[in-house]
Amino acid sequence: MLKDPSSRPSASDQLAALGWLHEQLARRGIAYWLFGGWAVDFHAGAVTRAHADVDVAVWLKDRDKIVALLVDGGWRHAPEDGEDGYTGYE
């Protein structure tokens, strides 16, 4: 999660990233689940607030494929201290 709200990507940028990620994962048949604030907004059918991140869950068995996909797409690994079952990319 971003510590400084002023460095937060816009909703448009986050939606574009989510669209790109969906296209890439769907093309490869990789299951994923959107959760957190964006999942609520998709369920509501409207952007209800600013979001600091996009939360996506994937199967551990797909980790290596997803890491390669993100790195090839220009994403940078951005781990946080104390991660437990998750990691971040920017």
Side-chain angles (χ1 to χ4, degrees):
M1 181 179 318
L2 297 172
K3 308 288 188 258
D4 176 8
S6 67
S7 66
R8 178 179 301 160
S10 70
S12 295
D13 289 342
Q14 290 178 342
L15 286 169
L18 188 53
W20 177 87
L21 185 61
H22 169 75
E23 181 181 306
Q24 298 302 313
L25 294 174
R27 180 180 301 156
R28 291 163 177 81
I30 299 172
Y32 77 94
W33 298 265
L34 183 64
F35 68 102
W38 276 111
V40 171
D41 282 3
F42 270 76
H43 183 73
V47 178
T48 62
R49 63 180 177 84
H51 299 280
D53 57 13
V54 174
D55 301 305
V56 177
V58 296
W59 291 113
L60 183 59
K61 69 177 180 60
D62 293 323
R63 180 185 180 277
D64 292 340
K65 290 186 268 187
I66 293 166
V67 167
L69 180 150
L70 292 172
V71 170
D72 289 348
W75 295 65
R76 179 182 65 82
H77 190 214
E80 295 180 353
D81 291 338
E83 291 180 346
D84 185 18
Y86 73 93
T87 195
Y89 283 81
E90 304 179 323

PDB file of all heavy atoms in Angstrom, residues 36-66:
ATOM      1  N   GLY A  36     -10.972  -6.676  -2.032  1.00  0.00           N
ATOM      2  CA  GLY A  36     -10.693  -5.360  -1.467  1.00  0.00           C
ATOM      3  C   GLY A  36     -11.615  -4.297  -2.040  1.00  0.00           C
ATOM      4  O   GLY A  36     -12.712  -4.579  -2.530  1.00  0.00           O
ATOM      5  N   GLY A  37     -11.146  -3.059  -1.990  1.00  0.00           N
ATOM      6  CA  GLY A  37     -11.954  -1.910  -2.380  1.00  0.00           C
ATOM      7  C   GLY A  37     -12.451  -1.934  -3.808  1.00  0.00           C
ATOM      8  O   GLY A  37     -13.611  -1.575  -4.076  1.00  0.00           O
ATOM      9  N   TRP A  38     -11.598  -2.325  -4.754  1.00  0.00           N
ATOM     10  CA  TRP A  38     -12.050  -2.366  -6.146  1.00  0.00           C
ATOM     11  C   TRP A  38     -13.119  -3.429  -6.355  1.00  0.00           C
ATOM     12  O   TRP A  38     -14.041  -3.254  -7.159  1.00  0.00           O
ATOM     13  CB  TRP A  38     -10.877  -2.569  -7.109  1.00  0.00           C
ATOM     14  CG  TRP A  38     -10.195  -1.285  -7.436  1.00  0.00           C
ATOM     15  CD1 TRP A  38      -8.933  -0.892  -7.065  1.00  0.00           C
ATOM     16  CD2 TRP A  38     -10.733  -0.191  -8.185  1.00  0.00           C
ATOM     17  NE1 TRP A  38      -8.663   0.371  -7.537  1.00  0.00           N
ATOM     18  CE2 TRP A  38      -9.755   0.821  -8.232  1.00  0.00           C
ATOM     19  CE3 TRP A  38     -11.951   0.035  -8.817  1.00  0.00           C
ATOM     20  CZ2 TRP A  38      -9.958   2.029  -8.883  1.00  0.00           C
ATOM     21  CZ3 TRP A  38     -12.155   1.240  -9.471  1.00  0.00           C
ATOM     22  CH2 TRP A  38     -11.161   2.218  -9.500  1.00  0.00           C
ATOM     23  N   ALA A  39     -13.042  -4.542  -5.633  1.00  0.00           N
ATOM     24  CA  ALA A  39     -14.082  -5.565  -5.750  1.00  0.00           C
ATOM     25  C   ALA A  39     -15.426  -4.999  -5.296  1.00  0.00           C
ATOM     26  O   ALA A  39     -16.457  -5.243  -5.931  1.00  0.00           O
ATOM     27  CB  ALA A  39     -13.713  -6.803  -4.931  1.00  0.00           C
ATOM     28  N   VAL A  40     -15.403  -4.218  -4.223  1.00  0.00           N
ATOM     29  CA  VAL A  40     -16.625  -3.579  -3.738  1.00  0.00           C
ATOM     30  C   VAL A  40     -17.168  -2.625  -4.802  1.00  0.00           C
ATOM     31  O   VAL A  40     -18.368  -2.620  -5.102  1.00  0.00           O
ATOM     32  CB  VAL A  40     -16.372  -2.845  -2.408  1.00  0.00           C
ATOM     33  CG1 VAL A  40     -17.568  -1.996  -2.007  1.00  0.00           C
ATOM     34  CG2 VAL A  40     -16.014  -3.838  -1.311  1.00  0.00           C
ATOM     35  N   ASP A  41     -16.285  -1.825  -5.388  1.00  0.00           N
ATOM     36  CA  ASP A  41     -16.722  -0.874  -6.411  1.00  0.00           C
ATOM     37  C   ASP A  41     -17.277  -1.578  -7.648  1.00  0.00           C
ATOM     38  O   ASP A  41     -18.271  -1.127  -8.226  1.00  0.00           O
ATOM     39  CB  ASP A  41     -15.579   0.066  -6.803  1.00  0.00           C
ATOM     40  CG  ASP A  41     -15.366   1.162  -5.779  1.00  0.00           C
ATOM     41  OD1 ASP A  41     -16.056   1.163  -4.745  1.00  0.00           O
ATOM     42  OD2 ASP A  41     -14.503   2.025  -6.020  1.00  0.00           O
ATOM     43  N   PHE A  42     -16.660  -2.672  -8.063  1.00  0.00           N
ATOM     44  CA  PHE A  42     -17.193  -3.417  -9.210  1.00  0.00           C
ATOM     45  C   PHE A  42     -18.567  -3.972  -8.875  1.00  0.00           C
ATOM     46  O   PHE A  42     -19.473  -3.960  -9.709  1.00  0.00           O
ATOM     47  CB  PHE A  42     -16.238  -4.538  -9.632  1.00  0.00           C
ATOM     48  CG  PHE A  42     -15.224  -4.109 -10.649  1.00  0.00           C
ATOM     49  CD1 PHE A  42     -14.134  -3.334 -10.285  1.00  0.00           C
ATOM     50  CD2 PHE A  42     -15.360  -4.470 -11.980  1.00  0.00           C
ATOM     51  CE1 PHE A  42     -13.208  -2.918 -11.218  1.00  0.00           C
ATOM     52  CE2 PHE A  42     -14.431  -4.064 -12.928  1.00  0.00           C
ATOM     53  CZ  PHE A  42     -13.352  -3.281 -12.542  1.00  0.00           C
ATOM     54  N   HIS A  43     -18.739  -4.463  -7.656  1.00  0.00           N
ATOM     55  CA  HIS A  43     -20.048  -4.978  -7.236  1.00  0.00           C
ATOM     56  C   HIS A  43     -21.081  -3.847  -7.202  1.00  0.00           C
ATOM     57  O   HIS A  43     -22.231  -4.029  -7.625  1.00  0.00           O
ATOM     58  CB  HIS A  43     -19.937  -5.647  -5.866  1.00  0.00           C
ATOM     59  CG  HIS A  43     -21.210  -6.252  -5.407  1.00  0.00           C
ATOM     60  ND1 HIS A  43     -21.737  -7.406  -5.950  1.00  0.00           N
ATOM     61  CD2 HIS A  43     -22.080  -5.864  -4.459  1.00  0.00           C
ATOM     62  CE1 HIS A  43     -22.872  -7.683  -5.363  1.00  0.00           C
ATOM     63  NE2 HIS A  43     -23.112  -6.771  -4.440  1.00  0.00           N
ATOM     64  N   ALA A  44     -20.666  -2.670  -6.732  1.00  0.00           N
ATOM     65  CA  ALA A  44     -21.570  -1.511  -6.647  1.00  0.00           C
ATOM     66  C   ALA A  44     -21.838  -0.895  -8.015  1.00  0.00           C
ATOM     67  O   ALA A  44     -22.825  -0.183  -8.196  1.00  0.00           O
ATOM     68  CB  ALA A  44     -20.981  -0.457  -5.716  1.00  0.00           C
ATOM     69  N   GLY A  45     -20.936  -1.121  -8.965  1.00  0.00           N
ATOM     70  CA  GLY A  45     -21.105  -0.549 -10.300  1.00  0.00           C
ATOM     71  C   GLY A  45     -20.681   0.899 -10.398  1.00  0.00           C
ATOM     72  O   GLY A  45     -21.086   1.603 -11.323  1.00  0.00           O
ATOM     73  N   ALA A  46     -19.854   1.359  -9.436  1.00  0.00           N
ATOM     74  CA  ALA A  46     -19.390   2.749  -9.442  1.00  0.00           C
ATOM     75  C   ALA A  46     -18.122   2.857  -8.601  1.00  0.00           C
ATOM     76  O   ALA A  46     -17.911   2.070  -7.676  1.00  0.00           O
ATOM     77  CB  ALA A  46     -20.458   3.660  -8.857  1.00  0.00           C
ATOM     78  N   VAL A  47     -17.302   3.837  -8.945  1.00  0.00           N
ATOM     79  CA  VAL A  47     -16.128   4.127  -8.124  1.00  0.00           C
ATOM     80  C   VAL A  47     -16.620   4.924  -6.922  1.00  0.00           C
ATOM     81  O   VAL A  47     -17.149   6.026  -7.074  1.00  0.00           O
ATOM     82  CB  VAL A  47     -15.067   4.923  -8.914  1.00  0.00           C
ATOM     83  CG1 VAL A  47     -13.879   5.249  -8.025  1.00  0.00           C
ATOM     84  CG2 VAL A  47     -14.616   4.132 -10.144  1.00  0.00           C
ATOM     85  N   THR A  48     -16.481   4.354  -5.734  1.00  0.00           N
ATOM     86  CA  THR A  48     -17.040   4.959  -4.522  1.00  0.00           C
ATOM     87  C   THR A  48     -16.034   5.768  -3.725  1.00  0.00           C
ATOM     88  O   THR A  48     -16.435   6.554  -2.865  1.00  0.00           O
ATOM     89  CB  THR A  48     -17.624   3.878  -3.600  1.00  0.00           C
ATOM     90  OG1 THR A  48     -16.569   2.982  -3.201  1.00  0.00           O
ATOM     91  CG2 THR A  48     -18.732   3.099  -4.304  1.00  0.00           C
ATOM     92  N   ARG A  49     -14.734   5.558  -3.990  1.00  0.00           N
ATOM     93  CA  ARG A  49     -13.704   6.272  -3.247  1.00  0.00           C
ATOM     94  C   ARG A  49     -12.365   6.077  -3.940  1.00  0.00           C
ATOM     95  O   ARG A  49     -12.247   5.239  -4.835  1.00  0.00           O
ATOM     96  CB  ARG A  49     -13.608   5.757  -1.812  1.00  0.00           C
ATOM     97  CG  ARG A  49     -13.201   4.283  -1.728  1.00  0.00           C
ATOM     98  CD  ARG A  49     -13.115   3.804  -0.288  1.00  0.00           C
ATOM     99  NE  ARG A  49     -12.804   2.398  -0.200  1.00  0.00           N
ATOM    100  CZ  ARG A  49     -11.580   1.873  -0.258  1.00  0.00           C
ATOM    101  NH1 ARG A  49     -10.536   2.654  -0.434  1.00  0.00           N
ATOM    102  NH2 ARG A  49     -11.389   0.574  -0.151  1.00  0.00           N
ATOM    103  N   ALA A  50     -11.360   6.829  -3.510  1.00  0.00           N
ATOM    104  CA  ALA A  50     -10.001   6.653  -4.021  1.00  0.00           C
ATOM    105  C   ALA A  50      -9.413   5.364  -3.428  1.00  0.00           C
ATOM    106  O   ALA A  50      -9.711   5.014  -2.284  1.00  0.00           O
ATOM    107  CB  ALA A  50      -9.138   7.843  -3.642  1.00  0.00           C
ATOM    108  N   HIS A  51      -8.612   4.684  -4.219  1.00  0.00           N
ATOM    109  CA  HIS A  51      -8.001   3.430  -3.776  1.00  0.00           C
ATOM    110  C   HIS A  51      -6.479   3.562  -3.796  1.00  0.00           C
ATOM    111  O   HIS A  51      -5.918   4.158  -4.717  1.00  0.00           O
ATOM    112  CB  HIS A  51      -8.410   2.282  -4.694  1.00  0.00           C
ATOM    113  CG  HIS A  51      -9.885   2.045  -4.722  1.00  0.00           C
ATOM    114  ND1 HIS A  51     -10.549   1.356  -3.740  1.00  0.00           N
ATOM    115  CD2 HIS A  51     -10.837   2.443  -5.602  1.00  0.00           C
ATOM    116  CE1 HIS A  51     -11.844   1.327  -4.020  1.00  0.00           C
ATOM    117  NE2 HIS A  51     -12.041   1.981  -5.155  1.00  0.00           N
ATOM    118  N   ALA A  52      -5.841   2.970  -2.797  1.00  0.00           N
ATOM    119  CA  ALA A  52      -4.380   3.001  -2.719  1.00  0.00           C
ATOM    120  C   ALA A  52      -3.749   1.886  -3.545  1.00  0.00           C
ATOM    121  O   ALA A  52      -2.578   1.967  -3.890  1.00  0.00           O
ATOM    122  CB  ALA A  52      -3.920   2.877  -1.264  1.00  0.00           C
ATOM    123  N   ASP A  53      -4.533   0.845  -3.861  1.00  0.00           N
ATOM    124  CA  ASP A  53      -3.973  -0.296  -4.569  1.00  0.00           C
ATOM    125  C   ASP A  53      -5.080  -1.086  -5.242  1.00  0.00           C
ATOM    126  O   ASP A  53      -6.258  -0.763  -5.112  1.00  0.00           O
ATOM    127  CB  ASP A  53      -3.175  -1.192  -3.611  1.00  0.00           C
ATOM    128  CG  ASP A  53      -4.009  -1.689  -2.428  1.00  0.00           C
ATOM    129  OD1 ASP A  53      -5.262  -1.552  -2.449  1.00  0.00           O
ATOM    130  OD2 ASP A  53      -3.434  -2.224  -1.481  1.00  0.00           O
ATOM    131  N   VAL A  54      -4.671  -2.120  -5.943  1.00  0.00           N
ATOM    132  CA  VAL A  54      -5.581  -3.084  -6.555  1.00  0.00           C
ATOM    133  C   VAL A  54      -5.208  -4.432  -5.952  1.00  0.00           C
ATOM    134  O   VAL A  54      -4.047  -4.836  -6.006  1.00  0.00           O
ATOM    135  CB  VAL A  54      -5.421  -3.121  -8.088  1.00  0.00           C
ATOM    136  CG1 VAL A  54      -6.263  -4.213  -8.707  1.00  0.00           C
ATOM    137  CG2 VAL A  54      -5.749  -1.759  -8.693  1.00  0.00           C
ATOM    138  N   ASP A  55      -6.175  -5.105  -5.355  1.00  0.00           N
ATOM    139  CA  ASP A  55      -5.925  -6.387  -4.691  1.00  0.00           C
ATOM    140  C   ASP A  55      -6.416  -7.528  -5.569  1.00  0.00           C
ATOM    141  O   ASP A  55      -7.599  -7.581  -5.923  1.00  0.00           O
ATOM    142  CB  ASP A  55      -6.658  -6.435  -3.347  1.00  0.00           C
ATOM    143  CG  ASP A  55      -6.230  -5.307  -2.419  1.00  0.00           C
ATOM    144  OD1 ASP A  55      -5.028  -5.197  -2.170  1.00  0.00           O
ATOM    145  OD2 ASP A  55      -7.109  -4.553  -1.959  1.00  0.00           O
ATOM    146  N   VAL A  56      -5.491  -8.439  -5.902  1.00  0.00           N
ATOM    147  CA  VAL A  56      -5.806  -9.589  -6.742  1.00  0.00           C
ATOM    148  C   VAL A  56      -5.228 -10.829  -6.074  1.00  0.00           C
ATOM    149  O   VAL A  56      -4.070 -10.832  -5.660  1.00  0.00           O
ATOM    150  CB  VAL A  56      -5.198  -9.421  -8.155  1.00  0.00           C
ATOM    151  CG1 VAL A  56      -5.450 -10.646  -9.014  1.00  0.00           C
ATOM    152  CG2 VAL A  56      -5.750  -8.172  -8.832  1.00  0.00           C
ATOM    153  N   ALA A  57      -6.036 -11.871  -5.977  1.00  0.00           N
ATOM    154  CA  ALA A  57      -5.581 -13.153  -5.438  1.00  0.00           C
ATOM    155  C   ALA A  57      -5.415 -14.141  -6.590  1.00  0.00           C
ATOM    156  O   ALA A  57      -6.204 -14.126  -7.541  1.00  0.00           O
ATOM    157  CB  ALA A  57      -6.593 -13.697  -4.431  1.00  0.00           C
ATOM    158  N   VAL A  58      -4.393 -14.974  -6.498  1.00  0.00           N
ATOM    159  CA  VAL A  58      -4.113 -15.990  -7.514  1.00  0.00           C
ATOM    160  C   VAL A  58      -3.677 -17.274  -6.813  1.00  0.00           C
ATOM    161  O   VAL A  58      -3.300 -17.260  -5.646  1.00  0.00           O
ATOM    162  CB  VAL A  58      -3.000 -15.529  -8.487  1.00  0.00           C
ATOM    163  CG1 VAL A  58      -3.431 -14.312  -9.279  1.00  0.00           C
ATOM    164  CG2 VAL A  58      -1.709 -15.253  -7.738  1.00  0.00           C
ATOM    165  N   TRP A  59      -3.732 -18.364  -7.537  1.00  0.00           N
ATOM    166  CA  TRP A  59      -3.251 -19.632  -6.995  1.00  0.00           C
ATOM    167  C   TRP A  59      -1.725 -19.628  -6.937  1.00  0.00           C
ATOM    168  O   TRP A  59      -1.058 -19.142  -7.862  1.00  0.00           O
ATOM    169  CB  TRP A  59      -3.709 -20.801  -7.859  1.00  0.00           C
ATOM    170  CG  TRP A  59      -5.181 -21.054  -7.806  1.00  0.00           C
ATOM    171  CD1 TRP A  59      -6.059 -20.896  -8.834  1.00  0.00           C
ATOM    172  CD2 TRP A  59      -5.955 -21.500  -6.693  1.00  0.00           C
ATOM    173  NE1 TRP A  59      -7.332 -21.205  -8.430  1.00  0.00           N
ATOM    174  CE2 TRP A  59      -7.295 -21.586  -7.111  1.00  0.00           C
ATOM    175  CE3 TRP A  59      -5.642 -21.829  -5.371  1.00  0.00           C
ATOM    176  CZ2 TRP A  59      -8.318 -21.994  -6.260  1.00  0.00           C
ATOM    177  CZ3 TRP A  59      -6.669 -22.233  -4.527  1.00  0.00           C
ATOM    178  CH2 TRP A  59      -7.980 -22.319  -4.971  1.00  0.00           C
ATOM    179  N   LEU A  60      -1.170 -20.185  -5.889  1.00  0.00           N
ATOM    180  CA  LEU A  60       0.281 -20.270  -5.723  1.00  0.00           C
ATOM    181  C   LEU A  60       0.937 -21.027  -6.879  1.00  0.00           C
ATOM    182  O   LEU A  60       2.022 -20.663  -7.326  1.00  0.00           O
ATOM    183  CB  LEU A  60       0.622 -20.939  -4.383  1.00  0.00           C
ATOM    184  CG  LEU A  60       2.101 -21.049  -4.032  1.00  0.00           C
ATOM    185  CD1 LEU A  60       2.758 -19.675  -3.989  1.00  0.00           C
ATOM    186  CD2 LEU A  60       2.271 -21.765  -2.694  1.00  0.00           C
ATOM    187  N   LYS A  61       0.246 -22.025  -7.410  1.00  0.00           N
ATOM    188  CA  LYS A  61       0.818 -22.812  -8.516  1.00  0.00           C
ATOM    189  C   LYS A  61       1.104 -21.959  -9.755  1.00  0.00           C
ATOM    190  O   LYS A  61       1.913 -22.322 -10.595  1.00  0.00           O
ATOM    191  CB  LYS A  61      -0.088 -23.985  -8.876  1.00  0.00           C
ATOM    192  CG  LYS A  61      -1.396 -23.578  -9.529  1.00  0.00           C
ATOM    193  CD  LYS A  61      -2.228 -24.790  -9.921  1.00  0.00           C
ATOM    194  CE  LYS A  61      -3.530 -24.422 -10.566  1.00  0.00           C
ATOM    195  NZ  LYS A  61      -3.451 -23.649 -11.789  1.00  0.00           N
ATOM    196  N   ASP A  62       0.427 -20.813  -9.863  1.00  0.00           N
ATOM    197  CA  ASP A  62       0.609 -19.927 -11.020  1.00  0.00           C
ATOM    198  C   ASP A  62       1.626 -18.822 -10.766  1.00  0.00           C
ATOM    199  O   ASP A  62       1.846 -17.971 -11.629  1.00  0.00           O
ATOM    200  CB  ASP A  62      -0.737 -19.301 -11.416  1.00  0.00           C
ATOM    201  CG  ASP A  62      -1.714 -20.320 -11.954  1.00  0.00           C
ATOM    202  OD1 ASP A  62      -1.266 -21.250 -12.662  1.00  0.00           O
ATOM    203  OD2 ASP A  62      -2.913 -20.197 -11.666  1.00  0.00           O
ATOM    204  N   ARG A  63       2.252 -18.807  -9.616  1.00  0.00           N
ATOM    205  CA  ARG A  63       3.150 -17.721  -9.218  1.00  0.00           C
ATOM    206  C   ARG A  63       4.219 -17.419 -10.269  1.00  0.00           C
ATOM    207  O   ARG A  63       4.390 -16.270 -10.664  1.00  0.00           O
ATOM    208  CB  ARG A  63       3.815 -18.031  -7.884  1.00  0.00           C
ATOM    209  CG  ARG A  63       4.751 -16.937  -7.431  1.00  0.00           C
ATOM    210  CD  ARG A  63       5.498 -17.351  -6.151  1.00  0.00           C
ATOM    211  NE  ARG A  63       6.392 -16.304  -5.736  1.00  0.00           N
ATOM    212  CZ  ARG A  63       7.610 -16.112  -6.233  1.00  0.00           C
ATOM    213  NH1 ARG A  63       8.069 -16.894  -7.190  1.00  0.00           N
ATOM    214  NH2 ARG A  63       8.375 -15.135  -5.786  1.00  0.00           N
ATOM    215  N   ASP A  64       4.968 -18.427 -10.700  1.00  0.00           N
ATOM    216  CA  ASP A  64       6.070 -18.183 -11.638  1.00  0.00           C
ATOM    217  C   ASP A  64       5.568 -17.587 -12.957  1.00  0.00           C
ATOM    218  O   ASP A  64       6.199 -16.687 -13.516  1.00  0.00           O
ATOM    219  CB  ASP A  64       6.863 -19.462 -11.903  1.00  0.00           C
ATOM    220  CG  ASP A  64       7.640 -19.923 -10.673  1.00  0.00           C
ATOM    221  OD1 ASP A  64       7.872 -19.096  -9.758  1.00  0.00           O
ATOM    222  OD2 ASP A  64       8.005 -21.113 -10.623  1.00  0.00           O
ATOM    223  N   LYS A  65       4.435 -18.070 -13.451  1.00  0.00           N
ATOM    224  CA  LYS A  65       3.865 -17.518 -14.689  1.00  0.00           C
ATOM    225  C   LYS A  65       3.462 -16.061 -14.501  1.00  0.00           C
ATOM    226  O   LYS A  65       3.673 -15.229 -15.383  1.00  0.00           O
ATOM    227  CB  LYS A  65       2.645 -18.340 -15.129  1.00  0.00           C
ATOM    228  CG  LYS A  65       2.975 -19.719 -15.634  1.00  0.00           C
ATOM    229  CD  LYS A  65       1.742 -20.396 -16.179  1.00  0.00           C
ATOM    230  CE  LYS A  65       1.082 -21.197 -15.087  1.00  0.00           C
ATOM    231  NZ  LYS A  65      -0.035 -22.022 -15.545  1.00  0.00           N
ATOM    232  N   ILE A  66       2.890 -15.748 -13.342  1.00  0.00           N
ATOM    233  CA  ILE A  66       2.433 -14.386 -13.076  1.00  0.00           C
ATOM    234  C   ILE A  66       3.607 -13.441 -12.880  1.00  0.00           C
ATOM    235  O   ILE A  66       3.605 -12.317 -13.378  1.00  0.00           O
ATOM    236  CB  ILE A  66       1.469 -14.372 -11.871  1.00  0.00           C
ATOM    237  CG1 ILE A  66       0.193 -15.123 -12.267  1.00  0.00           C
ATOM    238  CG2 ILE A  66       1.174 -12.955 -11.424  1.00  0.00           C
ATOM    239  CD1 ILE A  66      -0.693 -15.479 -11.111  1.00  0.00           C
TER     240      ILE A  66
END
